[in-house]
Amino acid sequence: MIVPMKKVSVVLLANERKTALESLRKLGVLHVEELTGASEQLTAFRQALSDAQAALSVLSGIKLPKGATVPTGLSAERAQSVCESVIAQAARKKELFEKIAAATVELERFSEWGDVDPDDFAYLKGKGISLRLFEIPAGKYASIPEAIDTVLVNTSRKQSRFLLLGCPEGRPDGLPPEAFEVALPHVSTSMLRDEIAACQTALALITDDLAANAVYAPAIRAYAAALEKDVEFENIYAGMGTETDEPVALAWLSGFVPVDAYDSLKECARSNSWALLADDPAEDDAVPTKLKNNRLVSMIYPLTDFLGTVPGYREFDISGWFLLFFAVFFGMIFGDAGYGALIVLGVLGTIIKNAVQGKKWNPGYGLFLLLGLSTVAWGTVTCTWFGLTPEYIPAFLKQLSLPPISNAYADQYDGIHSLLTTSQNLMLFCFVLAFLQLSIAHLKCIVRNIRSLKVFGDIGSLFMLWGMCYVVLSLVVNGDVFPLDLVYNGIPVGRVAIMLIAVGFVLGFVFSNYAGNIGASVLESCKNIITVILGVVNVFSDVISYIRLWAVGLAGGAISNTVNTMAGPLASHALLFVAFVALLVFGHGLNVILNVLSVIVHGVRLNTLEFSTHLGMEWSGYKYAPFAETAEK
């Protein structure tokens, strides 16, 4: 659930700001409204933090040798000194690379000329001998008139190189236009080679110094974390509102506190003689969102944190539904019980290893374990094991599968011996998921608006969804099994579906924009008539969108089967067994990576777009982040 918040303002003596902030940080419940402070101390902290982060970005790419001694901590002065040294070394390293690159380009430019020294050309010019370097396509050199004095240096497959004599400036008449002058290097080519060697020597020393400083990376990371807290504290301190015209100078601070933590803030204010004002947040307040769920539902948090999706304070908390349907979608997209078993074994192995090493429990382990089990379950009921064809799958695994959607019984559900084929049954299951998830969305909206006439708009949307689901079954799954003129037990199912769409459209047209006046609601719908009509199409497309679960799962199964087909002939040859194993590992590994991408693109989308759209959610929130000594877990 989304924890209710109180908006609070704390008023205190201006000369007590620092001690008051220390008390509030120790309490750790107040989410401070965004402030923009300005002070010399804040600037210094931000610069130090920037230096620490820059140093970490350099050191993080350096691998420590085995047995290296890592300091447990550094003083702030020592940490800042190391950061400045690392930044200077990194800048010098970049400068050396640029010099090497520039010198290498110059050497490459004169690679066919041999040693070239501009001082020699200057000396000869001082003696009245002008020499200039030219290149011309190899076949064109012979076309240079004899009146032009040249000395051929060499000829390669494409170019001829020559010296032009006695023409210090411009181009002599008759010189072919294909001839172009080669500018002299700024220093001799031998000096360029010496410069590259010197730079490489300096780079080696810098590399050694950075490697030596890499042991300080954990200490600098802790230093940066402390600086982040210093920046936060100083920003609030410098940004607090103050009033100095009163007889006693005052300062104040506003923010949000969860209702279950308000009493602790109230007691803190009383004990410190602060004035405290509290009220419910106004409609236009940007209230942070704090989610509170049981340990099972909280397993979805690593994923939503990774995605950066936070529901708005006045939106729904769909964490539980997100977890439930995402686990189902994940299993269907991966679709292979063998892959699921590998995920489960990998997670269990990591959990056991970390437990032995005394490492903390990572919340992501529970999520991956659930997703692995979901994949095993779906692969079992569809009889999909590493893309193997049914004849290679043990009989007991076939018996565990569900015949209407099982690969092992596909020949019994070929559209002749049954109403629907296996693929059609899978598509039907996808649309059942669409019906369930999107119906849940509209039911939640109905419950939210139950005390308003707007609820009829939500009911209309639910009717449209139900009617459209049947239309999709008729158009996509099987029009013979789900015809629009179907009559079942005297009920004209197809006509009822069309009526539901029509009635739902009317209810939505009249009540969707209701805000106290039906006429105004209808007028608003008339203004946006194109959007209202397209809304019907959107319902159809949202339901159709769930077929991606079948399509992506089918593609993954086809890839794994193709890998097996390619690798199969190699298994019968002892000399090619290594190639057989390598091809299986590479092929199935690539398929797993593609499945992960598919889950991110498709599995997440159905929750954060289709489901959320029907809920009216925009994920417009931002996370509750209290002013505290340590970040809230």
Side-chain angles (χ1 to χ4, degrees), residues 205-542:
L205 294 175
I206 290 176
T207 301
D208 291 341
D209 288 343
L210 289 176
N213 284 326
V215 297
Y216 298 116
I220 293 175
R221 193 171 291 109
Y223 169 63
L227 282 173
E228 288 178 350
K229 289 299 177 183
D230 290 338
V231 168
E232 180 186 33
F233 186 96
E234 188 62 29
N235 182 61
I236 295 174
Y237 177 79
M240 289 179 68
T242 56
E243 178 58 68
T244 58
D245 294 337
E246 297 295 328
V248 178
L250 299 176
W252 60 86
L253 189 66
S254 297
F256 301 90
V257 62
V259 292
D260 55 4
Y262 173 69
D263 288 342
S264 61
L265 177 62
K266 185 177 180 180
E267 176 59 27
C268 183
R270 186 196 62 79
S271 61
N272 288 280
S273 300
W274 304 332
L276 180 65
L277 175 65
D279 199 359
D280 293 329
E283 286 293 325
D284 58 348
D285 282 332
V287 187
T289 302
K290 180 182 180 181
L291 299 178
K292 185 178 182 180
N293 290 291
N294 58 45
R295 294 185 65 181
L296 175 63
V297 174
S298 298
M299 286 196 299
I300 197 63
Y301 291 167
L303 176 62
T304 54
D305 289 345
F306 169 75
L307 297 172
T309 52
V310 181
Y313 177 70
R314 294 177 178 85
E315 294 181 341
F316 294 105
D317 175 18
I318 61 169
S319 300
W321 297 114
F322 197 130
L323 178 65
L324 172 63
F325 284 103
F326 180 73
V328 175
F329 299 158
F330 186 99
M332 293 179 68
I333 290 174
F334 262 74
D336 194 300
Y339 292 170
L342 292 179
I343 294 174
V344 171
L345 292 175
V347 173
L348 290 177
T350 304
I351 292 173
I352 294 172
K353 177 183 176 182
N354 288 347
V356 171
Q357 295 177 351
K359 294 183 179 179
K360 293 182 178 179
W361 167 266
N362 188 322
Y365 297 157
L367 176 62
F368 279 110
L369 187 60
L370 175 64
L371 298 179
L373 292 172
S374 173
T375 306
V376 171
W378 181 255
T380 299
V381 298
T382 58
C383 198
T384 308
W385 295 86
F386 293 111
L388 296 172
T389 52
E391 60 266 25
Y392 294 107
I393 298 177
F396 78 94
L397 291 179
K398 297 180 184 178
Q399 294 172 359
L400 292 175
S401 64
L402 191 61
I405 58 175
S406 172
N407 294 320
Y409 300 93
D411 57 342
Q412 300 177 26
Y413 290 84
D414 57 4
I416 298 176
H417 301 93
S418 63
L419 294 176
L420 298 175
T421 65
T422 300
S423 293
Q424 289 173 335
N425 282 325
L426 288 169
M427 286 189 281
L428 176 61
F429 182 76
C430 292
F431 294 135
V432 168
L433 286 176
F435 174 83
L436 291 174
Q437 188 176 32
L438 300 183
S439 292
I440 290 170
H442 290 294
L443 289 171
K444 289 177 74 68
C445 292
I446 289 171
V447 172
R448 178 182 59 187
N449 296 319
I450 194 66
R451 298 181 182 275
S452 168
L453 290 180
K454 191 173 183 178
V455 72
F456 290 108
D458 297 322
I459 293 173
S461 298
L462 184 63
F463 284 174
M464 271 202 296
L465 170 67
W466 288 352
M468 199 62 74
C469 282
Y470 185 81
V471 172
V472 169
L473 295 181
S474 178
L475 297 179
V476 179
V477 178
N478 193 316
D480 295 328
V481 178
F482 303 103
L484 293 178
D485 58 356
L486 175 66
V487 178
Y488 182 76
N489 288 338
I491 301 175
V493 178
R495 292 183 181 179
V496 169
I498 301 301
M499 288 179 60
L500 284 173
I501 296 174
V503 172
F505 177 81
V506 172
L507 288 174
F509 189 88
V510 175
F511 294 103
S512 288
N513 299 303
Y514 179 79
N517 187 296
I518 294 180
S521 177
V522 174
L523 181 61
E524 187 66 24
S525 295
C526 290
K527 292 179 181 178
N528 301 286
I529 186 63
I530 296 178
T531 303
V532 172
I533 294 174
L534 288 177
V536 181
V537 180
N538 289 338
V539 175
F540 177 82
S541 64
D542 287 345

